[in-house]
Amino acid sequence: MRRVVVTGLGVVGPLGTGVEATWQALLEGRSGAGPITRFDTEGFGVRIAAEASDFDPGAFMDAREIRRSDRFCQLAVAAAQLAVDDAGWNGSVPFDRDRVGVVVGSGVGGLETMEQQHDVLRDRGPSKVSPFVIPLLMINGAPGAIAMRLGLTGPNYAPVSACATGAHSLGEAARMVRDGSADAVLAGGAESAITPLSIAAFSAMGALSRRNDEPAAASRPFDSDRDGFVMAEGAGVLVLESYEAAERRGANILAELAGYGASCDAFHLTQPDPNGTGAVAAMKMALEDAKLNPGDVGYVNAHGTSTPFNDRVETSAIKAVFAEAPPVSSTKSSTGHLLAAAGAVEAAFSVMALRTQTLPPTINYSTPDADCDLDYVPNTPRSSRVDAVISNSFGFGGHNACLAFRAVP
């Protein structure tokens, strides 16, 4: 079995474009949340979100490509381009193209296209519906577009597991590299669901924060005064290669993706199992897969959505896995919740924690909750010796995915 390493990081989101800009904003404790600008929020109970405000698709795609792709796909293509640039591919593919895969998923795909074109159908009739609706909204359009852009003809598909999608994509891609069915895989997730229907629907569920007057303080994972998550948009893509191939081509190896665990709560369509059984199983599987002991882990990047139920259950699950829990933080406090992209973006943050030996903070943490009693790295980053990290992702449907990263000397 081959070792799997990370050689490139691509991140686009509410804190900026590119992993360095995003990481710096994260360490500065900035929030990407603000008033929604992508549609008129008159009459909406929730009027805040974390938009990728500085994202310019024109920096990555020509006008024709932009017209023929939904925003989630544009974000995915941009993140993939940034990732291969970071991996030093320098405009070429350093592998047999048949041996390079793309595994990039989304939760809802082209939701913005679907809503807009439904309006066209209702107001102007069926003859005015765009012939590009289906390719724009289909979730597998993102990995397809990345493959066409880079000429990658290896395995290509799009996992869908709600907010665990990005982590599942990385875990499944790592298995491809490990078992030799691909030499390299671009893997991650993308989401752009700041749309009227999505905001109204998540709001109706009571999942979103209603701190409309203080958006930067709205996402507050593990804080006693949390009242829900802040919807965000963005994409994260990582380049995974075998250790041997990366060494052979002189790549800058950023970390090893050493372990992956996946499970299902089989409990409720939207609520986590209050016993945290599935989350515990996923973390234990990732540690076992990586051949790590709990004591080897120096940092946990939590799912940490800022919803009352999730944060309490995740805290309990971490305590069940670790006799002495390592420092934990939720970077969603700064980025908001990127849904299907969250697991991949947070995987990139986990790699950066290993690279810089710095733990990103949980901002907006001011009032401890008796049921959330871990060390959440409150409000400011922390320098710390970190040799291994785990990153948790949990999704509606009871989907759980956990990734274990290890430093490579």
Side-chain angles (χ1 to χ4, degrees), residues 5-11 19 79-89 170 185-188 236-241 246 249 251-255 344 347-348 351-352 355 405:
V5 295
V6 181
T7 58
L9 305 174
V11 171
V19 69
Q81 185 63 58
L82 291 167
V84 296
D85 290 347
D86 190 43
W89 286 20
L170 283 158
V185 181
L186 278 60
V237 173
L238 278 63
V239 177
L240 307 182
E241 305 178 25
R249 74 178 186 89
N252 182 26
I253 296 174
L254 305 176
V351 171
M352 290 300 291
R355 297 287 296 169
F405 293 94

Side-chain angles (χ1 to χ4, degrees), residues 178-189:
R178 183 186 290 185
D179 70 15
S181 57
D183 291 330
V185 181
L186 278 60

Side-chain angles (χ1 to χ4, degrees), residues 1 50 86 91 94 114 126 142 163 188 193 251 292 306 310 328 371 374 383 390 407:
M1 302 292 275
D86 190 43
M114 185 181 294
C163 306
L292 289 169
S306 183
N310 175 86
V328 176
D371 291 329
L374 299 175
S383 296
I390 68 168

Side-chain angles (χ1 to χ4, degrees), residues 20 35 50 64-65 114 151 158 164 233 251 282 361 367 384 398 401:
E20 292 293 343
R64 183 171 178 270
E65 290 174 309
M114 185 181 294
E233 62 176 354
T367 308
S384 181

